Amino acid sequence: GGGAAAAAPADVKGKKRDTDKKADKALGDKSKDTSGKADKVKAAPAGTAAPPLKVVPTGSTVLGVVDPASGMADTAIVYIHGGEIYDFMLNLRDISKNMDKYYIGQVLENSATRQFYCFTHWGRTGAVGQNKTDGPFATADPAIAEFKAKFYEKTHNNWDEKDKFEHKKDKYQLLKTDYKHLATKKKAKWQYYVDAPVDGKSIGWYDYDPAASDIVESVHDTFLSNPTLGVRCVESGKWVYRVDLGKMTQTNTQHVNHTTRQIRRVPL
């Protein structure tokens, strides 16, 4: 999937179209809907929604950590050989179409059995998405070959020449990952600003739901290492939000009101 997001639904059976601002929730708002319509914003579970790969420091080396969607976070490690970390994160984005997709690839090694896998995980930014595991393989070579083939299929670039990566039209872009930053950064939460009373809220700053905060933090991390990705389309439940990390705003692109709210990052 991942085509253009659907427009706001038309009226059904003569029902009045809802233009009440109370139905246009912020990305991180899971408060009770008082507009007379069901409008829950259901964020993807924390840690499963298009994260830049989590990392941990190991001595003086910082290694990629297994994508939790693989189900092998406690039994496998990201394969590293000759200083090469076999993981990548890609992005395909067309803001004019509300399209923003991720594609993750990893070679995983089972720590106990020494078997190898090629794991891939893809979907719309903010959504849990889908994944596939190829293997097990008795050696790393078949998993690496599959990994490299997936990389070429999505980018039309060779993995072995990724240092000379060229973004091709209609293909995924390779994202840079600052492993040391991700391993050492301080935690933070995200908030949105209500500039007029709505859904029982007075004017002021409100915390995102924790899962939605994790999603916006992950795209913010990506932005720090990839400055061209300042505007993202983030899926949350039935809505798609345009998050502008340069202007620090979010806009519900599908709701009829297209409400824009200020957002901010608050270190903990």
Side-chain angles (χ1 to χ4, degrees):
D11 300 345
V12 179
K13 294 183 179 179
K15 290 183 179 180
K16 183 179 178 181
R17 191 173 189 176
D18 180 19
T19 58
D20 192 332
K21 286 188 177 181
K22 289 187 277 190
D24 185 10
K25 294 184 180 297
L27 189 157
D29 184 5
K30 297 185 79 173
S31 60
K32 184 177 179 181
D33 180 25
T34 59
S35 67
K37 284 194 161 211
D39 184 28
K40 273 194 171 183
V41 174
K42 185 177 181 182
T48 61
L53 303 179
K54 293 183 179 179
V55 293
V56 292
T58 304
S60 60
T61 306
V62 179
L63 309 180
V65 169
V66 176
D67 186 326
S70 69
M72 292 186 276
D74 297 326
T75 59
I77 60 174
V78 174
Y79 183 62
I80 299 175
H81 182 71
E84 187 89 88
I85 303 176
Y86 284 94
D87 70 38
F88 61 73
M89 185 170 181
L90 310 176
N91 176 259
L92 182 63
R93 184 183 59 143
D94 186 337
I95 297 301
S96 69
K97 298 179 180 178
N98 284 342
M99 182 182 75
D100 195 322
K101 301 191 292 184
Y102 64 93
Y103 193 97
I104 293 169
Q106 296 184 307
V107 174
L108 303 179
E109 178 184 1
N110 185 294
S111 304
T113 66
R114 299 302 302 275
Q115 292 179 312
F116 299 86
Y117 304 83
C118 176
F119 174 75
T120 50
H121 179 193
W122 65 93
R124 293 176 65 93
T125 298
V128 175
Q130 299 173 276
N131 62 77
K132 181 183 178 184
T133 303
D134 292 301
F137 302 106
T139 67
D141 289 347
I144 292 174
E146 187 68 24
F147 171 90
K148 290 181 176 180
K150 297 288 188 184
F151 184 81
Y152 183 81
E153 175 190 344
K154 297 300 176 182
T155 68
H156 275 196
N157 280 255
N158 292 313
W159 171 258
D160 294 334
E161 298 174 348
K162 62 184 179 299
D163 291 341
K164 302 176 182 177
F165 188 90
E166 294 183 6
H167 187 200
K168 306 293 178 64
K169 181 176 173 59
D170 298 326
K171 291 295 179 180
Y172 280 77
Q173 175 181 355
L174 175 62
L175 301 185
K176 296 179 181 178
T177 301
D178 186 340
Y179 291 106
K180 290 185 178 180
H181 163 73
L182 294 179
T184 59
K185 71 169 187 164
K186 294 181 180 180
K187 292 184 178 180
K189 66 179 180 180
W190 285 80
Q191 296 180 327
Y192 61 93
Y193 189 73
V194 173
D195 58 6
V198 60
D199 277 343
K201 289 184 171 67
S202 56
I203 295 172
W205 289 97
Y206 291 85
D207 289 349
Y208 277 44
D209 171 82
S213 185
D214 286 348
I215 293 168
V216 178
E217 179 69 1
S218 74
V219 298
H220 179 261
D221 287 335
T222 301
F223 170 57
L224 293 179
S225 299
N226 302 269
T228 61
L229 296 183
V231 180
R232 304 294 300 275
C233 292
V234 178
E235 182 174 292
S236 184
K238 67 180 181 180
W239 304 118
V240 175
Y241 294 86
R242 186 168 299 171
V243 178
D244 189 324
L245 295 168
K247 297 179 179 178
M248 293 296 279
T249 60
Q250 63 165 43
T251 303
N252 187 330
T253 63
Q254 292 179 298
H255 190 275
V256 65
N257 291 326
H258 283 72
T259 300
T260 296
R261 303 183 191 277
Q262 291 294 316
I263 61 176
R264 69 181 182 184
R265 183 178 186 270
V266 181
L268 298 177

